[in-house]
Amino acid sequence: MNKYYNNYYSLNSISSVEGTCSEVATTLLMKSHKANSNNDEYIFRTIMNITVDNNYWQKDLKDSKNTGTRSDKIDSLVTKTFSFWGSKKKGNNDHLNIYSTITSNINNGKTTILSCSNHSMHAVGYTEYTVTYKTKVVCFYIPTTSVVKFVIVNDGWHSVTNNADNKQYSYYPADLISATQFALTKVA
C-alpha cells in the first residue's frame, strides 16, 4: 500500500509514506465494518489523506522524518474516516480490560484495532488453549492447568496486491497486553 500511495500521490507535507500500520489497520477496520465497499487501495488512500490533512503523523525530532500516526490519534482517525463515508460510528480508545473488551467485541461481530507503542494491528479474533503440565514439587509431580490466551491479529498486507489471501494473520499473546503500553480502538 505504501508503494502504491507513494507512486501515485504526492503530498506537500510528506515526501513518502512509511510506517503506516495504523492506516492499514484502519483500512481493514473499515472493510470489516462495511464503511465502504471500494478496493483496499482507495480506502487506504482516503485514510492516508485524512491522516495527513489532520496532522496525525508524528515527526522524529532528530531528523524530521515521519514516523507514523500517533497512537492517541487513532480513535480520531477512525471517527473521521467513518464520518467521511457518512457513518455516525466513532473510534473510542480504551486502555482498560483490553483482552476482555476484544473478546466481547469479537463475540458481537465487531473487530477492533490493537496498538502498542510503535505498531497497530487489526484484532479480528481470539483463541484460548487449556494446557496441562506437571510441576515437580520436592519429589512429587503435581498436575497443573493453565489457560493460554491469544488475540488473532491481521498485520496488514504481505505484498502490494489486494488479494485477501496475502493478509498476514498471527497470534498475539494476551499476557503481553498491558494497560500502560497498549490501547484498543473500538467502534462505538
Side-chain angles (χ1 to χ4, degrees):
M1 288 293 130
N2 294 350
K3 184 176 179 182
Y4 167 79
Y5 193 84
N6 290 332
N7 285 341
Y8 295 100
Y9 299 94
S10 61
L11 303 171
N12 294 333
S13 59
I14 298 176
S15 58
S16 68
V17 296
E18 55 187 49
T20 58
C21 58
S22 297
E23 290 73 23
V24 168
T26 303
T27 299
L28 297 168
L29 186 76
M30 292 300 126
K31 299 274 290 188
S32 173
H33 286 266
K34 298 178 178 30
N36 190 284
S37 61
N38 280 297
N39 62 27
D40 292 346
E41 290 88 353
Y42 172 78
I43 294 171
F44 179 78
R45 183 188 75 227
T46 302
I47 292 168
M48 278 305 308
N49 288 339
I50 291 169
T51 301
V52 172
D53 291 346
N54 289 281
N55 296 314
Y56 292 155
W57 282 72
Q58 55 188 358
K59 294 210 183 257
D60 185 324
L61 298 176
K62 294 177 188 170
D63 61 11
S64 295
K65 265 183 91 175
N66 293 304
T67 59
T69 302
R70 295 183 4 219
S71 62
D72 64 327
K73 294 297 181 184
I74 297 172
D75 60 335
S76 299
L77 175 61
V78 168
T79 298
K80 285 191 182 286
T81 303
F82 274 125
S83 178
F84 180 84
W85 286 309
S87 174
K88 293 185 183 204
K89 292 180 181 179
K90 297 180 185 249
N92 182 7
N93 280 352
D94 195 348
H95 296 274
L96 302 173
N97 304 316
I98 293 174
Y99 182 75
S100 63
T101 302
I102 289 172
T103 60
S104 175
N105 274 288
I106 296 301
N107 289 341
N108 289 313
K110 299 177 182 176
T111 61
T112 60
I113 296 175
L114 177 64
S115 301
C116 54
S117 61
N118 62 354
H119 190 52
S120 294
M121 303 158 277
H122 184 219
V124 297
Y126 68 95
T127 190
E128 299 177 355
Y129 298 98
T130 301
V131 179
T132 303
Y133 55 93
K134 294 181 180 180
T135 306
K136 186 175 181 179
V137 177
V138 185
C139 61
F140 298 100
Y141 288 95
I142 300 172
T144 305
T145 302
S146 64
V147 177
V148 182
K149 301 174 183 180
F150 295 93
V151 176
I152 301 170
V153 297
N154 183 333
D155 265 334
W157 290 273
H158 178 67
S159 68
V160 295
T161 69
N162 64 359
N163 182 344
D165 293 333
N166 284 336
K167 294 188 174 123
Q168 301 174 33
Y169 294 91
S170 58
Y171 295 96
Y172 199 93
D175 62 345
L176 297 180
I177 299 171
S178 70
T180 57
Q181 297 178 344
F182 283 79
L184 179 70
T185 304
K186 57 189 177 186
V187 176

